[in-house]
Amino acid sequence: RRSVASAGAAQTEESRAIAGLASKRGCPTDFIVGKWEAPNSLGTDMTATLAVLPSNGDCQGITANFDIVGATGVYAITTIENLTAASDALLKKDATTVKVRFENIHGKYFHEGVYDASADVLLEDLAYVNGSYVGGGILEFHRV
């Protein structure tokens, strides 16, 4: 994790508190609840953000507000057994990863990714949309 100023430290504590509350519910997606950032997204000097909200208790998935290089929206995030198609960087991840699907609830498309528990990193593969290769990069989100 990167060191942060006192305001950033408060955000980190808030993220941990949210994650702690979520984990008491025991839903499969609880491990990614909190605030995430991907600095220098897609070769720009912009930071992508992902604010993952706790489950409402039904464990059917969670939602997240995203801002990726100016594109904003809401994802429905669920765990999946297997990636439909993914970049080599995701396919080579080890057993400490959990596969997730980021489905845009308004645009009716999805990206897949993995949560790497050993590094506490969330990867979203933008090179594939709905399982088809379209080109693009991978966002590497870090908890803030």
Side-chain angles (χ1 to χ4, degrees):
R1 294 179 196 216
R2 60 187 173 96
S3 76
V4 292
S6 60
Q11 288 178 342
T12 300
E13 289 304 315
E14 178 185 353
S15 291
R16 286 186 192 139
I18 291 170
L21 287 173
S23 65
K24 290 178 184 176
R25 292 189 190 105
C27 296
T29 49
D30 290 347
F31 53 88
I32 61 171
V33 169
K35 295 180 181 179
W36 299 81
E37 289 183 350
N40 303 314
S41 296
L42 306 174
T44 72
D45 61 355
M46 299 174 76
T47 297
T49 61
L50 191 65
V52 183
L53 306 171
S55 166
N56 64 9
D58 66 6
C59 294
Q60 297 299 309
I62 53 179
T63 59
N65 298 312
F66 68 84
D67 183 340
I68 300 172
V69 192
T72 61
V74 178
Y75 282 142
I77 302 175
T78 55
T79 56
I80 56 176
E81 291 293 319
N82 297 300
L83 297 173
T84 305
S87 299
D88 286 345
L90 270 64
L91 295 174
K92 292 178 181 176
K93 287 292 179 182
D94 63 23
T96 64
T97 62
V98 176
K99 298 166 194 72
V100 293
R101 176 171 287 170
F102 302 88
E103 186 167 351
N104 184 305
I105 63 171
H106 298 297
K108 304 298 181 197
Y109 66 86
F110 69 85
H111 299 289
E112 292 176 333
V114 296
Y115 169 69
D116 184 344
S118 65
D120 195 30
V121 171
L122 183 61
L123 302 171
E124 180 182 0
D125 192 349
L126 300 181
Y128 288 83
V129 175
N130 297 334
S132 297
Y133 181 76
V134 296
I138 295 173
L139 293 175
E140 184 174 312
F141 287 99
H142 299 269
R143 200 179 297 271
V144 293

